[in-house]
Amino acid sequence: MNEIQLIDTTQFHELQRAGHACVVDVRNHDEFSRGSAARLCWPVGDIDAASVGEFARQQKLAPDQTLVLLCASGKRAQMAAAKLRELIPNPIAVLQGGHAALDAAAGKSRMSIERQVRIAAGLLIVIGSVATLFASPAAILLCLFVGAGLVVAGLTDSCLMGRLIMRMPWNRG
């Protein structure tokens, strides 16, 4: 069983420059399409015993080649590493802090879409609650709509509010 190495941004860039590492983004395809330091996307939910062999063949992964995993903050990359350590002989490294750490090291700081969605949803629920108390009982529908949207987002792993927030000017490249 492989040990999982936690690396910082300096070590990540060294592995990239060396050219022997296979850098994989384990976020979903929508997140990956908005930009990544990895050239490959293999969502953590798709990683299983059946997909490992195919991935290794497609990427021509050498047994001694380090698999470097990254995501938005490092949590999903650690989950993916835990799955993969039992399935492949390769050394596995996880970028601590993920893309947020890379952005911070590059002097960029952008709030994650997920965090923006939580702020927006919470704010809409507070506004709906206050409006229900002081303006109209019908304003409770806003709270119900936002709550239902959160449930749907959780069940389908697709968030309409997240997609709308991604289109905001402050979230564009």
Side-chain angles (χ1 to χ4, degrees):
M1 183 164 38
N2 291 331
E3 288 302 313
I4 299 167
Q5 180 185 6
L6 299 176
I7 59 172
D8 61 22
T9 56
T10 303
Q11 293 166 308
F12 174 77
H13 290 302
E14 287 171 4
L15 283 168
Q16 272 189 316
R17 277 191 295 277
H20 190 61
C22 180
V23 181
V24 179
D25 194 323
V26 298
R27 299 176 299 166
N28 65 44
H29 292 286
D30 285 341
E31 292 172 291
F32 178 75
S33 68
R34 290 193 306 270
S36 179
R39 64 176 184 82
L40 302 170
C41 179
W42 191 14
V44 67
D46 295 349
I47 297 172
D48 57 23
S51 66
V52 168
E54 182 63 25
F55 177 83
R57 275 189 298 285
Q58 284 180 348
Q59 303 311 317
K60 298 179 176 110
L61 197 62
D64 64 335
Q65 190 174 10
T66 301
L67 195 60
V68 180
L69 307 175
L70 71 149
C71 63
S73 67
K75 292 176 186 169
R76 285 179 280 181
Q78 288 181 346
M79 289 170 39
K83 286 180 168 184
L84 286 167
R85 74 190 267 186
E86 312 258 338
L87 300 172
I88 61 170
N90 300 67
I92 300 171
V94 171
L95 174 61
Q96 289 182 309
H99 281 283
L102 288 173
D103 288 347
K108 301 181 222 169
S109 63
R110 183 182 291 172
M111 190 182 298
S112 72
I113 299 297
E114 181 182 350
R115 189 169 170 202
Q116 292 178 55
V117 166
R118 289 189 300 229
I119 290 169
L123 188 58
L124 287 171
I125 290 171
V126 168
I127 289 169
S129 299
V130 170
T132 299
L133 292 172
F134 297 109
S136 167
I140 195 68
L141 294 174
L142 177 62
C143 299
L144 293 172
F145 180 75
V146 172
L150 291 171
V151 170
V152 169
L155 292 173
T156 64
D157 197 24
S158 176
C159 181
L160 178 60
M161 187 183 298
R163 286 194 200 131
L164 293 172
I165 288 174
M166 279 190 272
R167 292 191 171 120
M168 294 294 132
W170 59 85
N171 287 322
R172 295 192 183 169

